[in-house]
Amino acid sequence: MIDEFDLPVDLASPRGTITLRGAEEGDLDAIVALLSDDPVSAGRGDVAASDARPLYLRGLRRILAAEGNDLLVVEREGRIVGTMQLTVVPGMARRGSTRLMVEAVRVAGSQRSGGIGAGMMTWVTDVAARAVGASLVQLTSDAARTEAHRFYTRLGFVDSHIGFKYPVSR
């Protein structure tokens, strides 16, 4: 899917240019650090423990190998400061519409409120969705993320559905 996006691409932000590109295996530790930098993710076990590294590596490899999936990172001055996963979801509803699902959006805590998230999401809605023929961009956000909800609403996303999750024990 990444070929359809013409990456890497430089995006303007209030604090200077950021670069959006496809993730690579060498980015793994920086991506895990972004996940663990988030209190909600950390509460779910994303704490960057070294014994979990093989699990994250397996997950990254699966995403990169799966058709219709991509993991992207954002760099500022050579440092990874953001990430997100994109998944193309073909569907029957809405006359067979394709959706672009955005998951695991993270921006480094020290970089928040600096336009990185807005740049990422604007690129998703204006470029990525069109590139894959999506008629709808959708995402889920943990109910505890009230600041994120305000952010997405400000960007034009509508909280039109209620999501449900079912934890499967292993």
Side-chain angles (χ1 to χ4, degrees):
M1 179 170 72
I2 204 159
D3 295 337
E4 300 171 52
F5 297 148
D6 196 25
L7 295 175
V9 63
D10 288 338
L11 305 173
S13 80
R15 294 184 191 165
T17 302
I18 56 176
T19 301
L20 180 66
R21 65 170 176 82
E24 303 167 352
E25 284 191 24
D27 301 326
L28 179 67
D29 293 329
I31 294 166
V32 173
L34 287 169
L35 294 173
S36 66
D37 183 41
D38 174 70
V40 174
S41 291
R44 295 183 192 138
D46 288 317
V47 293
S50 59
D51 62 335
R53 192 175 194 283
L55 300 172
Y56 288 111
L57 181 58
R58 183 183 75 199
L60 176 60
R61 287 177 174 163
R62 289 178 72 193
I63 292 167
L64 297 179
E67 187 175 335
N69 273 279
D70 268 311
L71 191 67
L72 306 180
V73 294
V74 175
E75 288 182 325
R76 169 175 275 149
E77 298 173 356
R79 187 173 142 242
I80 294 176
V81 295
T83 187
M84 64 181 159
Q85 181 179 345
L86 302 180
T87 303
V88 175
V89 182
M92 291 297 298
R94 296 179 185 233
R95 300 180 181 181
S97 290
T98 297
R99 297 164 193 243
L100 183 59
M101 178 69 126
V102 185
E103 286 289 325
V105 177
R106 299 292 187 277
V107 172
S110 65
Q111 301 290 312
R112 291 188 192 129
S113 298
I116 293 172
M120 292 166 63
M121 296 308 296
T122 300
W123 178 85
V124 166
T125 57
D126 292 355
V127 178
R130 287 174 173 76
V132 300
S135 61
L136 186 70
V137 174
Q138 65 185 32
L139 55 86
T140 61
S141 180
D142 190 285
R145 297 181 190 278
T146 56
E147 288 181 37
H149 303 164
R150 284 191 294 274
F151 167 74
Y152 291 122
T153 299
R154 191 176 78 242
L155 293 178
F157 285 80
V158 178
D159 58 347
S160 62
H161 289 65
I162 296 174
F164 296 90
K165 297 188 186 244
Y166 184 88
V168 178
S169 60
R170 296 186 217 193

